[in-house]
């Protein structure tokens, strides 16, 4: 999947977390930003990715050590991030948004023909039976649907009021 698809999925996860935890404005903005960034984090192993271009040395180092879609797309990587977040006492809404956004990245990449090394260091590639080309029409459509979903969750209270006003 493209960075846009991962980011819009992170946006949706961030908005769902803010809705679930009923966060204040500052926390909501922080949760959404963290979720979008975390949804892009597994691609730090790709030097041409959105994060890879910003953190070139880290991206290059991770790429040399592990390759693409291996360690940073694995359960062990997500577990290590979760442990780190736990030990630095990350607030629950932030923790949830980060872990779910990273998980969404891996799940979305499992929808591509290349799949991921979910159980790294084991060499098996995990992918779903239904697969889509990265950057194709399905990828773009999915990004659009995720964005519309995020907008709906974000503005749901206002949408409900407007619809209620029109109906009554």
């Amino acid at each position: 999947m493209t960075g846009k698809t991962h980011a819009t999925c992170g946006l949706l996860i961030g908005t769902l977390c803010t809705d679930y935890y009923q966060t204040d404005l500052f926390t909501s903005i922080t949760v959404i930003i963290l979720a979008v960034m975390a949804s892009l984090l597994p691609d730090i192993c790709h030097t041409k990715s959105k994060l890879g271009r910003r953190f070139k040395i880290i991206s290059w180092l991770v790429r040399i050590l592990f390759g693409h879609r291996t360690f940073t797309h694995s359960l062990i990587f997500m577990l290590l991030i979760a442990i780190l977040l736990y030990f630095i006492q990350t607030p629950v809404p932030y923790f949830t948004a980060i872990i779910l956004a990273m998980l969404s990245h891996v799940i979305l990449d499992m929808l591509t023909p290349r799949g991921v090394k979910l159980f790294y260091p084991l060499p098996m590639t995990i992918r779903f039976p239904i697969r889509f080309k990265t950057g194709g029409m399905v990828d773009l459509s999915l990004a659009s649907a995720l964005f519309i979903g995020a907008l709906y969750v974000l503005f749901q209270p206002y949408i409900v009021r407007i619809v209620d006003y029109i109906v009554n």
Side-chain angles (χ1 to χ4, degrees):
M1 297 291 156
T2 62
K4 289 180 184 81
T5 306
H6 291 303
T8 55
C9 192
L11 178 67
L12 177 59
I13 288 168
T15 58
L16 287 169
C17 285
T18 61
D19 186 53
Y20 180 79
Y21 290 108
Q22 294 296 300
T23 55
D24 59 55
L25 181 61
F26 176 78
T27 304
S28 295
I29 292 168
T30 306
V31 164
I32 291 169
I33 289 170
L34 286 172
V36 170
M37 290 174 57
S39 70
L40 299 172
L41 180 60
D43 273 346
I44 192 71
C45 62
H46 192 310
T47 54
K48 301 281 190 229
S49 70
K50 292 191 183 302
L51 285 182
R53 288 187 304 237
R54 298 212 189 299
F55 302 99
K56 291 180 185 202
I57 294 172
I58 294 170
S59 179
W60 178 81
L61 185 61
V62 171
R63 176 80 176 205
I64 293 299
L65 290 173
F66 303 107
H68 183 52
R69 289 193 183 178
T70 58
F71 175 66
T72 60
H73 286 68
S74 70
L75 292 175
I76 195 163
F77 180 71
M78 286 185 277
L79 180 63
L80 289 172
I81 296 294
I83 290 168
L84 172 69
L85 294 172
Y86 174 79
F87 279 115
I88 63 171
Q89 299 179 357
T90 304
V92 174
Y94 299 170
F95 181 95
T96 305
I98 291 167
I99 297 303
L100 289 178
M102 287 176 51
L103 182 61
S104 77
H105 181 109
V106 173
I107 290 170
L108 286 171
D109 278 355
M110 288 168 58
L111 286 167
T112 65
R114 186 151 182 225
V116 299
K117 303 287 189 217
L118 187 63
F119 302 109
Y120 183 84
L122 298 177
M124 59 175 30
T125 299
I126 307 297
R127 59 178 84 82
F128 289 117
I130 298 172
R131 299 177 199 122
F132 307 104
K133 180 182 168 206
T134 299
M137 197 60 172
V138 173
D139 192 353
L140 178 63
S141 300
L142 184 57
S144 300
L146 291 167
F147 183 71
I148 290 167
L151 288 178
Y152 176 76
V153 171
L154 199 58
F155 295 107
Q156 180 184 10
Y158 307 106
I159 294 169
V160 169
R161 282 190 208 149
I162 291 169
V163 169
D164 192 40
Y165 180 77
I166 293 170
V167 172
N168 294 327

